[in-house]
């Protein structure tokens, strides 16, 4: 189990504990659960015993993750026991005709992983298996990295494609994760395989599928003799794996100054099944994976010789992919702090469809 899988396993155990705890109606039931999770052979304790299977430099982190989870789970057992004791006391009191207003209220449900984070982890794991390095760029970027290095000079009309938040210090809130392409070329040189997840910002009119703050995952692969078939095969594999079903793709020409040729790879809308709805702007298709072959000017800006090396890049729309995976109709719930957007869909299985709360 790698660290991502470990995190997922911990989240799964915690989510199962939360579900079982709400059903545990007696102190004995809680103590039984405690034993199954934290006992000598309990599911969390088992994770600690596997620590020796990790490389020495990861063991500290494994121990920390598991011990923190143990502390949280222990606290949740104690809270549930207190709740049950309080409920017993209240039942006794009301049987005796009294009402104790000092008893604690019902505990709020525990949260879980945000849907965007869950899909991000899945994508990271897939690319880790394919030998990609995980990189992160800054959210506050230089104009050069966000635009010029990507073949978008100041005078270029393509600047209008991405409405930018300019900062008073002359920097920008990055409009996409593509600046990490340039950073990675400079950092690693060819050949390279990198993915870079992160938040992006645009001065957008917000609607069901557009936010001013959203997530992308940049992908960049540079090697010898790389072509579009590699890109399209990878796209199909990526989307099929995340959606856990055969995904229909639509590949169209797309214009981005930093790739040539450029593609828009769309997937069929799972909210309406392709019939058309506000989420897919009534087209039946959702843009999730713009991509293309890296433009020679971008390779040159990254000190890579385009006569020797070629590669592809893509900018996965992670937020929209999470919406497709979990049947979320409206992007606004994801930044809203609405707890329904964290609790049930990710950990407790099944797709659910919410409307934006009023
Ligand atoms: C780009 O941002 C390019 N950097 C992608 C790219 C990378 C192309 C590498 C070629 C090579 P675009 O503006 O289409 O492209 O955004 C990429 C994806 O981000 C979109 O398909 C969409 O899924 C998502 N996205 C864009 N704007 C928003 C928004 N306002 N809200 C939510 N998701 C958005």
């Amino acid at each position: 189990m790698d660290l991502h899988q470990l995190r997922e396993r911990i989240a799964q155990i915690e989510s199962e504990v939360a579900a079982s705890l709400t059903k545990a109606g007696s102190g004995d039931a809680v103590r039984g659960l405690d034993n199954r999770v934290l006992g000598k052979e309990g599911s969390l304790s088992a994770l600690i015993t596997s620590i020796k299977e990790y490389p020495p430099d990861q063991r500290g982190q494994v121990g920390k993750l598991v011990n923190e989870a143990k502390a949280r789970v222990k606290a949740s057992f104690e809270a549930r026991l207190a709740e049950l004791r309080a409920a017993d006391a209240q039942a006794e009191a009301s049987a005796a005709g009294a009402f104790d207003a000092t008893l604690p209220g019902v505990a709020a449900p525990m949260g879980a992983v945000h849907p965007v984070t869950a899909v991000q982890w899945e994508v990271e794991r897939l690319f880790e298996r394919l030998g990609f390095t995980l990189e992160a760029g800054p959210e506050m970027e230089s104009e050069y990295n966000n635009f010029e290095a990507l073949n978008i000079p100041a005078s270029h009309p393509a600047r209008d494609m991405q409405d930018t938040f300019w900062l008073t210090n002359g920097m920008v809130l990055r409009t996409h994760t593509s600046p990490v392409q340039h950073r990675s070329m400079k950092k690693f040189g060819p050949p390279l395989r990198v993915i870079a997840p992160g938040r992006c910002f645009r001065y957008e009119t917000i609607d069901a599928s557009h936010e001013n703050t959203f997530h992308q995952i940049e992908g960049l692969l540079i090697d010898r003799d790389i072509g579009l078939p590699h890109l399209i095969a990878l796209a199909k594999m990526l989307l099929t794996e995340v959606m856990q079903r055969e995904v229909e793709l639509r590949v169209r020409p797309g214009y981005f100054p930093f790739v040539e040729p450029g593609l828009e790879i769309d997937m069929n809308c799972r909210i309406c099944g392709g019939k058309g709805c506000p989420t897919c702007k009534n087209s039946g298709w959702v843009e999730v994976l713009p991509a293309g072959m890296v433009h020679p000017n971008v390779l040159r800006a990254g000190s890579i010789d385009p006569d020797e090396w070629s590669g592809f890049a893509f900018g996965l729309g992670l937020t929209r992919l999470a919406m497709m995976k979990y049947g979320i109709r409206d992007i606004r719930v994801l930044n809203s702090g609405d707890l329904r957007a964290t609790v049930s869909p990710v950990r407790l299985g099944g797709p659910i469809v919410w409307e934006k709360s009023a």
Side-chain angles (χ1 to χ4, degrees):
M1 200 183 310
D2 61 24
L3 282 178
H4 284 310
Q5 288 165 329
L6 178 70
R7 281 197 190 89
E8 293 231 308
R9 176 75 188 121
I10 290 175
Q12 187 196 1
I13 293 174
E14 288 194 51
S15 168
E16 285 165 5
V17 165
S20 307
L21 265 186
T22 47
K23 288 192 215 126
S26 69
D28 281 349
V30 176
R31 282 184 284 275
L33 188 60
D34 185 325
N35 197 30
R36 287 201 300 284
V37 180
L38 300 176
K40 236 178 163 185
E41 311 211 324
S43 46
L44 267 179
S45 312
L47 294 179
I48 270 287
T49 49
S50 68
I51 200 165
K52 51 190 172 304
E53 291 158 23
Y54 289 83
D57 64 329
Q58 289 185 357
R59 289 181 192 162
Q61 211 181 340
V62 172
K64 184 163 177 281
L65 285 171
V66 178
N67 285 330
E68 283 171 357
K70 279 182 136 180
R72 283 192 299 273
V73 167
K74 203 166 169 27
S76 73
F77 288 145
E78 276 158 17
R80 182 66 182 144
L81 284 172
E83 240 175 61
L84 290 168
R85 275 195 299 273
D88 282 350
Q90 195 159 25
E92 260 175 47
S94 65
F99 169 71
D100 186 350
T102 62
L103 288 175
V106 177
M110 283 166 69
V113 174
H114 193 280
V116 171
T117 310
V119 180
Q120 180 180 324
W121 286 351
E122 263 184 70
V123 175
E124 285 175 5
R125 223 175 41 228
L126 168 69
F127 281 98
E128 208 171 55
R129 289 206 314 267
L130 298 173
F132 280 68
T133 302
L134 188 61
E135 281 289 293
E139 293 176 346
M140 183 172 74
E141 250 307 357
S142 67
E143 182 180 353
Y144 178 81
N145 285 345
N146 199 79
F147 293 118
E148 262 97 344
L150 293 166
N151 203 25
I152 319 177
S155 58
H156 200 292
R159 286 246 176 149
D160 290 344
M161 289 162 69
Q162 300 186 351
D163 291 316
T164 311
F165 288 114
W166 293 91
L167 304 179
T168 47
N169 62 2
M171 308 278 275
V172 297
L173 289 183
R174 68 172 171 191
T175 53
H176 49 178
T177 43
S178 297
V180 184
Q181 287 187 31
H182 180 70
R183 289 176 172 276
S184 307
M185 289 182 205
K186 287 287 196 192
K187 182 168 170 188
F188 300 115
L192 63 90
R193 295 173 195 199
V194 165
I195 58 159
R199 278 201 304 182
C200 308
F201 309 86
R202 292 190 198 173
Y203 184 58
E204 292 270 18
T205 305
I206 294 177
D207 62 22
S209 55
H210 292 83
E211 254 293 0
N212 52 30
T213 303
F214 56 95
H215 288 74
Q216 291 186 346
I217 299 187
E218 197 73 11
L220 174 68
L221 183 150
I222 295 179
D223 213 317
R224 294 195 164 86
D225 302 323
I226 296 298
L228 281 183
H230 297 111
L231 168 61
I232 293 172
L234 186 74
K236 178 102 182 156
M237 176 183 169
L238 164 64
L239 296 176
T240 303
E241 178 138 338
V242 171
M243 298 303 292
Q244 286 166 15
R245 66 176 166 86
E246 194 64 20
V247 173
E248 225 181 299
L249 297 187
R250 180 175 75 165
V251 181
R252 303 174 280 139
Y255 176 69
F256 303 93
F258 33 97
V259 286
E260 180 57 38
L263 307 178
E264 287 282 2
I265 304 178
D266 307 332
M267 62 185 283
N268 52 331
C269 177
R270 106 120 218 251
I271 303 288
C272 60
K275 287 198 219 75
C277 66
T279 312
C280 61
K281 294 190 236 147
N282 291 316
S283 69
W285 296 95
V286 180
E287 283 178 19
V288 285
L289 199 70
M293 301 305 296
V294 181
H295 195 289
N297 288 348
V298 177
L299 290 172
R300 275 186 213 106
S303 312
I304 295 178
D305 179 0
D307 293 327
E308 190 180 349
W309 302 96
S310 59
F312 62 72
F314 60 81
L316 176 69
L318 181 60
T319 306
R320 290 208 191 139
L321 185 60
M323 291 169 71
M324 288 298 107
K325 175 152 179 158
Y326 295 112
I328 300 167
R329 285 174 194 276
D330 196 308
I331 199 167
R332 285 166 280 201
V333 296
L334 290 170
N335 287 352
S336 71
D338 183 339
L339 278 185
R340 288 174 307 160
T342 61
V343 178
S344 48
V346 181
R347 294 293 153 211
L348 303 183
I352 60 155
V353 175
W354 311 294
E355 302 296 342
K356 175 173 139 25
S357 44

